[in-house]
Amino acid sequence: MVENNELRKAGLKVTLPRVKILQMLDSSGHRHMSAEDVYKALMEAGEDVGLATVYRVLTQFEAAGLVVRHNFDGGHAVFELADSGHHDHMVCVDSGEVIEFFDTEIEKRQKEIVKEHGFELVDHNLVLYVRKKK
């Protein structure tokens, strides 16, 4: 029922594929999923939703502000629900794992740098590419 309200609030018609995809994004243990990840999870759950439909719905969700698309290393798009506040990301170059973090000092320093250059910060996206220390 929550999914239906979210779809309506975003101005989208409530359809079974949209509800199933939103449920999958919400219930998955992974916050960052590619369209292929969503499709595979739906198939494993016995849901009959095509890959093209998953792509189309995720694009609609992005336009409606329900999800955020990230193009991490290699241009591989992943999606996360737009339900959390601002955060930055670390991406492990070996495993592809995505780690979310928020650091007050980094946020403060970014605003200072922008101000020093005579600008106002509108938005930003910080991605650190990392590798486990050996």
Side-chain angles (χ1 to χ4, degrees):
M1 193 67 172
V2 172
E3 288 83 8
N4 294 0
N5 291 336
E6 290 299 315
L7 289 170
R8 285 192 189 102
K9 280 190 334 192
L12 294 171
K13 184 177 172 187
V14 176
T15 64
L16 190 57
R18 286 180 180 150
V19 170
K20 294 294 181 188
I21 291 168
L22 193 55
Q23 286 174 339
M24 186 57 61
L25 289 168
D26 191 40
S27 66
S28 173
H30 304 286
R31 281 202 36 91
H32 303 87
M33 297 179 75
S34 69
E36 294 83 4
D37 294 335
V38 173
Y39 173 72
K40 287 177 194 168
L42 288 167
M43 296 280 68
E44 289 170 6
E47 301 295 342
D48 187 26
V49 178
L51 182 58
T53 300
V54 172
Y55 274 104
R56 185 174 57 254
V57 168
L58 288 172
T59 300
Q60 293 167 349
F61 284 1
E62 180 185 15
L66 289 173
V67 300
V68 176
R69 176 193 307 251
H70 299 286
N71 290 306
F72 295 134
D73 196 29
H76 185 71
V78 294
F79 299 85
E80 70 175 309
L81 289 175
D83 59 355
S84 61
H86 171 75
H87 57 270
D88 296 308
H89 297 93
M90 289 189 291
V91 178
C92 178
V93 296
D94 294 326
S95 69
E97 178 186 9
V98 178
I99 302 104
E100 296 178 354
F101 72 95
F102 179 83
D103 185 283
T104 306
E105 287 300 312
I106 290 174
E107 298 301 317
K108 179 182 167 190
R109 188 65 188 121
Q110 288 172 339
K111 289 175 185 172
E112 290 170 356
I113 291 168
V114 168
K115 188 176 179 181
E116 288 168 9
H117 288 359
F119 291 93
E120 173 186 358
L121 184 62
V122 176
D123 193 13
H124 80 278
N125 185 14
L126 175 64
V127 181
L128 304 174
Y129 294 95
V130 299
R131 175 176 283 131
K132 291 266 187 199
K133 282 181 130 182
K134 294 181 180 184

